[in-house]
Amino acid sequence: MIGATHSVCQDYVVAKNSYIILSDGCSTSPDSDIGSRLLVKAAEQQIKTNPNPETLPEETARLALAWAEAMHLPPQSVDATLLTAFYKNDELLVSCSGDGVIVTETTAGRRDVYDISNPSGYPLYPSYLLQPDRLATMAINGRSVKEVKHYSSAGPTRTHRCDSATHILRLTAKDYRFVALMSDGVRSFYTTADKSVAPLDFSQVISELLSFKSWYGAFVA
């Protein structure tokens, strides 16, 4: 059942043979559904011309903000997360700016889930890197600190905190079966039982979403 709190979908994604880009617009920022699309399209250009995960978020935001200004949209419209995965030589480069979830599975069957969030409730969007006042506000009381929970089928859950704007994974491409990118909406699944509402177990949701047996079909698309 679709949620009742969002009348407009603020997520946008592009998936091609060699890259995936996902953006989730901020619910309280104006026109962030448009901004998330601009961010994805700007990232698509950057991946094709300058595929560097270290500089990708800032350069993507710079281009998206310029497009938003040309469309007479406020800079807040580009308040959106940015998740990318793409090939470069023999590497699979995966990144998350803001919050979201990255899932990887090796050819040997090991699954790793990286749940990236901001305990303060304020994601550090790529656009903030070009807005010094907003970036400084994020730094107050450590609101820019992000938390990365790493769930692995090969061992215990690990959690660490950092203040880097982007979480980056550099993987040897041939060792991986797939990478999946998800917005924080994956944490918003609930079930009703005994006239009450309870959140579904996060790991159960991930397993259900990734239970497809082939790369073909409407569900995977």
Side-chain angles (χ1 to χ4, degrees):
M1 181 182 297
I2 191 169
T5 58
H6 292 66
S7 58
V8 176
C9 179
Q10 292 156 325
D11 288 17
Y12 190 67
V13 65
V14 167
K16 299 292 179 69
N17 287 334
S18 58
Y19 59 84
I20 316 166
I21 310 166
L22 181 152
S23 180
D24 178 15
C26 176
S27 301
T28 58
S29 295
D31 298 313
S32 64
D33 57 317
I34 301 173
S36 64
R37 287 174 176 250
L38 295 179
L39 207 60
V40 167
K41 290 301 183 182
E44 195 169 22
Q45 285 197 12
Q46 290 297 314
I47 287 174
K48 291 177 179 178
T49 59
N50 183 29
N52 182 348
E54 304 287 347
T55 60
L56 179 66
E58 185 171 347
E59 293 308 311
T60 293
R62 192 186 311 278
L63 184 55
L65 283 166
W67 287 345
E69 183 179 11
M71 296 171 67
H72 304 289
L73 295 175
Q76 292 87 350
S77 66
V78 189
D79 292 353
T81 64
L82 180 66
L83 287 83
T84 64
F86 59 91
Y87 291 110
K88 184 179 180 181
N89 300 324
D90 296 327
E91 277 192 308
L92 184 56
L93 302 170
V94 190
S95 69
C96 174
S97 299
D99 56 16
V101 176
I102 299 168
V103 185
T104 67
E105 186 172 299
T106 67
T107 53
R110 190 191 78 221
R111 180 172 292 180
D112 293 278
V113 179
Y114 302 86
D115 183 13
I116 302 157
S117 63
N118 285 75
S120 67
Y122 298 91
L124 203 167
Y125 298 121
S127 59
Y128 287 4
L129 300 174
L130 300 166
Q131 299 170 322
D133 292 344
R134 302 182 79 188
L135 191 60
T137 300
M138 285 289 295
I140 296 174
N141 298 324
R143 291 200 303 177
S144 61
V145 173
K146 68 173 56 178
E147 182 176 82
V148 181
K149 291 182 179 179
H150 178 196
Y151 306 88
S152 177
S153 61
T157 299
R158 302 178 186 275
T159 302
H160 75 272
R161 292 192 174 192
C162 61
D163 57 3
S164 62
T166 305
H167 185 72
I168 298 173
L169 300 176
R170 294 178 178 271
L171 311 173
T172 303
K174 67 181 179 60
D175 294 337
Y176 284 81
R177 179 170 172 258
F178 70 77
V179 169
L181 305 180
M182 306 174 187
S183 72
D184 66 347
V186 74
R187 306 189 197 104
S188 303
F189 285 83
Y190 294 82
T191 183
T192 55
D194 299 324
K195 298 182 180 179
S196 62
V197 178
L200 279 174
D201 179 73
F202 180 65
S203 60
Q204 178 187 349
V205 174
I206 296 292
S207 294
E208 291 289 344
L209 285 173
L210 299 177
S211 62
F212 50 85
K213 294 179 174 59
S214 76
W215 304 114
Y216 305 100
F219 177 79
V220 179

